[in-house]
Amino acid sequence: MIYGYARCSTNEDKQDINRQIRELKAAGAEEIIFEYEHGDSKVKKQQEAMLEQAQAGDTIIVLEVSRLARSTQQLCEIIDHVREKHLRLIIVGSITLDCRNGQADPMSEAFLQMAGVFSQLELAMIRARVRSGMENAKAKGRKIGRPHTTKEDIPAVFYRHYPAFMADKINLTELARLCRLSRPTVYKYLKLLQQA
């Protein structure tokens, strides 16, 4: 089996994962696994399920190292998993780590780890720029952060599916999917309604 793994940091309204999916299919992926999760998140449920499901001899394709992990430690854990399960990991147009015989080419593994270091560095630099920009905006008197949410901000689609959630006909994940909202946003709206 050839798996393609795609990941975006935020939900589909803000980032389009379809480009990754198209390119993974073009690279030969037979089954696409995707999720919306931050790169340095400790838990990536779909990625974990894919690694668990993969059998010896299978291939995992990703477009960039940063799609797999933004943490060098997490990337090293994935490399260990690939080696232990005798898998092949392909970073399209870049690095192939072939452990189907139980061993990894030391040079390929080293290059992959270095790419992980640069991915983690890139994330740290982005965060530093964001913090600097926020401090600059604060110094200019601008309000930083998300605007305060009130019950009037809750969309009609949420109120349409809310009774089914309260009647235990759908769970929180289904409510979020039906409303095309993230789970944290659904939690926020539920908290606002409970304060009423």
Side-chain angles (χ1 to χ4, degrees):
M1 176 64 77
I2 302 174
Y3 296 95
Y5 177 73
R7 182 194 58 75
C8 281
S9 297
T10 56
N11 67 31
E12 53 202 292
D13 293 333
K14 295 184 180 171
Q15 279 190 325
D16 183 8
I17 204 164
N18 292 322
R19 175 194 63 85
Q20 290 181 58
I21 292 170
R22 280 192 306 273
E23 291 183 23
L24 288 168
K25 285 180 179 176
E30 299 167 334
E31 183 177 341
I32 305 293
I33 309 296
F34 68 92
E35 64 190 323
Y36 295 94
E37 190 60 74
H38 287 281
D40 63 342
S41 173
K42 290 183 179 175
V43 177
K44 297 184 192 76
K45 291 181 182 177
Q46 297 303 318
Q47 183 185 91
E48 286 179 3
M50 175 187 65
L51 289 169
E52 187 64 36
Q53 182 180 336
Q55 301 295 315
D58 287 350
T59 296
I60 297 170
I61 303 174
V62 294
L63 297 180
E64 305 160 9
V65 172
S66 63
R67 297 303 96 202
L68 273 179
R70 286 281 199 173
S71 153
T72 307
Q73 178 184 348
Q74 289 175 15
L75 182 60
C76 288
E77 290 169 4
I78 290 169
I79 291 170
D80 288 343
H81 202 90
V82 167
R83 188 185 305 110
E84 289 164 12
K85 291 198 81 170
H86 300 259
L87 305 173
R88 179 173 61 166
L89 174 64
I90 298 174
I91 313 299
V92 175
S94 180
I95 304 164
T96 296
L97 185 67
D98 194 343
C99 299
R100 290 177 294 180
N101 68 358
Q103 299 178 20
D105 169 49
M107 191 66 76
S108 297
E109 186 170 344
F111 276 123
L112 187 56
Q113 289 173 350
M114 283 192 299
V117 168
F118 285 113
S119 180
Q120 183 171 328
L121 173 64
E122 179 185 32
L123 181 62
M125 290 169 65
I126 289 168
R127 288 181 171 163
R129 281 195 303 269
V130 168
R131 278 193 301 272
S132 174
M134 289 173 66
E135 290 301 320
N136 187 43
K138 279 183 191 175
K140 292 180 178 178
R142 293 191 188 135
K143 290 194 174 191
I144 302 299
R146 296 181 180 169
H148 183 69
T149 305
T150 65
K151 281 182 256 177
E152 290 74 33
D153 298 317
I154 299 175
V157 67
F158 183 85
Y159 285 113
R160 188 164 51 248
H161 297 290
Y162 178 68
F165 171 77
M166 293 305 291
D168 288 329
K169 292 180 180 174
I170 59 172
N171 64 26
L172 192 129
T173 300
E174 291 168 313
L175 177 61
R177 183 183 57 77
L178 288 169
C179 297
R180 296 182 58 88
L181 298 168
S182 67
R183 288 172 54 97
T185 299
V186 169
Y187 279 120
K188 180 168 59 175
Y189 291 165
L190 290 173
K191 187 175 180 182
L192 278 171
L193 292 174
Q194 289 168 0
Q195 292 173 353

